[in-house]
Amino acid sequence: MDNLENEEQPLYTLQFGLLCLSSLLFSASFNMIIPELPNYLSSLGGAAHKGLIIALFTLTAGISRPFSGRLTDKWGRVPVMAIGSTVCVLCGFLYPILSSVSGFFLLRLIHGFSTGFKPTATSAYIADIIPSNRWGEALGMHGLCFSIGGAVGPAIGSYIAQAYDLNTMFYSSSAFAFLSIIIVMNMKETLKDKTRFSPKMLKISRCDIIEVRVIPAAIVTLLSYTAYGVILTLIPDWSEHLGIANKGLFFTAYTLASIGIRFVSGKVADRYGRISVMKVGLVVIAISIMYLGFGDNIAQLVIGACLYGIGTGIFSPAVNAWTIDLSLPQYRGKAMATMYIALEAGIGGGALFAGYIYHDEILRIPYIFYGNALVIFLAFIYVIYWNSKNKKNKNLL
């Protein structure tokens, strides 16, 4: 009876809509400063360390995941989401103050806590309010809103930086995050057996770090998201090399393409299975990364961005839903934290790899893209291997 009632629950409720709007604003907040950060770091004297812009951010995001997962499962989804947005508010005001290379890198570390907290609790919240047979669709629609924030954020950020100055851009970032907090704090908590916050909740044991049931999803996520770390590190300079004034153009094109495909990709993952959809997404991502390496003009950059957006729009809802499929209800926070740890490790590893090889030598960028396409291919091979092995185990049973 409960399952039947669950299946009849509507997807597009006010609660779900508010959650999506909050994530859109949150995504816009931290994404709007990314295209301008490489040049900003160069102006501070840290041009040789551009790979750390993303790597440090993802380091603390990954470190914080076990804590956010535990707090999500114990303290509640809403307060953990609010903490993530609050970090963005504070960092936006601190970038203009800590205007040295060391201060900048310290802030990148602190800023990473934002994505370490909010997406973990948000995914668990979605799993709480949406019936299981529509998780793919719901995560796809939420990802669509997050992607819209990722599209408008860089474009708005670059516009503000050009029309006014970088400090105004940083303050605008804080304003977007503050609006996200207001929405979250007026949402209903969905964790039924929540407990009052206690410092003991921050005590993490080995079993709190990783949810072993979702390790296959984590491996695929880690390998696939190296591409995003490479893109975040190299595309701003590559755009400038190609004569593009607004460094947010790539991210806008990529996100718009991602938005378009997300209208259907989640539903397809629910109907035809996560594995099949993930394989298609990985193939498109690998092709897009190769194409970016071959491209040497604005049109090709935009086409590569659109292909990458389509690939991630297909892949992301499927791998998120697969993670929830593999987890147990009482450990959803930890499961999503595990997947996001892998995501941050992939982004950070890709950024470090790109920054180390690049070293401000613009002609090295295409070769970095080619190398990363091979990593995406490894993710594709692993998905095929896992699926084949799983089918054999089922046959044995």
Side-chain angles (χ1 to χ4, degrees):
M1 184 71 175
D2 289 341
N3 288 337
L4 182 60
E5 291 177 358
N6 233 12
E7 290 177 4
E8 292 175 351
Q9 290 178 10
L11 175 61
Y12 301 106
T13 61
L14 176 62
Q15 197 175 17
F16 183 67
L18 288 172
L19 184 70
C20 290
L21 178 58
S22 172
S23 292
L24 187 155
L25 292 166
F26 171 75
S27 176
S29 170
F30 74 86
N31 275 300
M32 69 191 307
I33 68 174
I34 288 176
E36 299 299 326
L37 290 183
N39 275 354
Y40 178 63
L41 179 59
S42 295
S43 71
L44 299 178
H49 308 291
K50 290 179 180 178
L52 293 176
I53 292 174
I54 303 302
L56 293 178
F57 184 92
T58 56
L59 174 64
T60 44
I63 290 172
S64 66
R65 296 292 183 185
F67 298 95
S68 66
R70 181 174 172 81
L71 289 172
T72 295
D73 290 333
K74 298 287 186 181
W75 188 24
R77 321 310 197 192
V78 170
V80 175
M81 287 191 287
I83 288 173
S85 294
T86 300
V87 172
C88 283
V89 172
L90 296 175
C91 287
F93 280 104
L94 289 174
Y95 277 110
I97 297 173
L98 300 178
S99 55
S100 64
V101 173
S102 58
F104 174 83
F105 285 139
L106 174 64
L107 276 178
R108 291 307 290 167
L109 280 169
I110 297 172
H111 208 161
F113 282 104
S114 63
T115 58
F117 275 75
K118 193 172 190 308
T120 301
T122 299
S123 297
Y125 196 103
I126 290 173
D128 291 342
I129 66 174
I130 301 298
S132 59
N133 65 320
R134 300 186 73 183
W135 278 341
E137 182 182 357
L139 290 165
M141 293 305 297
H142 173 264
L144 184 153
C145 294
F146 200 90
S147 295
I148 291 174
V152 301
I156 292 173
S158 288
Y159 171 78
I160 292 173
Q162 292 172 25
Y164 301 95
D165 53 37
L166 288 173
N167 288 352
T168 303
M169 179 190 72
F170 289 131
Y171 298 144
S172 299
S173 171
S174 290
F176 274 70
F178 183 71
L179 292 174
S180 175
I181 296 173
I182 292 175
I183 294 171
V184 165
M185 295 308 295
N186 285 281
M187 292 179 64
K188 181 182 177 181
E189 178 58 61
T190 58
L191 182 64
K192 295 179 181 179
D193 300 321
K194 63 178 182 177
T195 57
R196 288 186 65 180
F197 175 78
S198 167
K200 291 182 180 179
M201 290 182 183
L202 299 176
K203 185 178 180 181
I204 300 296
S205 64
R206 187 180 303 173
C207 65
D208 293 320
I209 298 175
I210 298 294
E211 175 54 62
V212 294
R213 293 175 183 83
V214 303
I215 285 178
I219 292 172
V220 178
T221 299
L222 186 151
L223 293 172
S224 62
Y225 273 89
T226 56
Y228 196 51
V230 171
I231 283 170
L232 289 173
T233 302
L234 300 181
I235 286 298
D237 282 8
W238 190 240
S239 298
E240 188 174 30
H241 170 71
L242 297 178
I244 303 172
N246 190 322
K247 301 183 187 71
L249 176 63
F250 175 93
F251 298 97
T252 300
Y254 135 69
T255 310
L256 289 175
S258 177
I259 288 170
I261 199 68
R262 284 176 189 270
F263 279 108
V264 296
S265 61
K267 292 181 180 181
V268 172
D270 287 334
R271 179 172 297 181
Y272 297 104
R274 325 301 191 195
I275 299 298
S276 298
V277 174
M278 283 192 297
K279 287 192 289 187
V280 173
L282 288 169
V283 168
V284 178
I285 291 172
I287 291 172
S288 71
I289 298 300
M290 286 290 292
Y291 189 84
L292 285 172
F294 288 116
D296 60 359
N297 57 56
I298 296 174
Q300 290 176 325
L301 181 82
V302 172
I303 293 171
C306 290
L307 285 172
Y308 182 70
I310 292 170
T312 56
I314 294 171
F315 173 79
S316 181
V319 76
N320 287 350
W322 189 37
T323 302
I324 298 175
D325 290 342
L326 295 173
S327 68
L328 297 176
Q330 64 268 36
Y331 297 125
R332 280 175 183 161
K334 183 166 70 168
M336 295 312 300
T338 300
M339 191 273 288
Y340 279 117
I341 287 171
L343 182 148
E344 305 295 356
I347 295 174
L352 279 176
F353 164 78
Y356 177 77
I357 302 297
Y358 172 40
H359 214 70
D360 261 7
E361 294 288 340
I362 201 73
L363 295 181
R364 294 181 180 178
I365 288 180
Y367 300 102
I368 299 173
F369 284 133
Y370 303 150
N372 187 239
L374 294 176
V375 178
I376 308 303
F377 183 69
L378 288 178
F380 177 79
I381 295 298
Y382 177 79
V383 169
I384 294 175
Y385 163 77
W386 183 90
N387 192 41
S388 174
K389 182 180 178 182
N390 194 51
K391 283 182 178 178
K392 287 181 180 178
N393 289 339
K394 283 186 177 180
N395 290 333
L396 289 174
L397 293 173

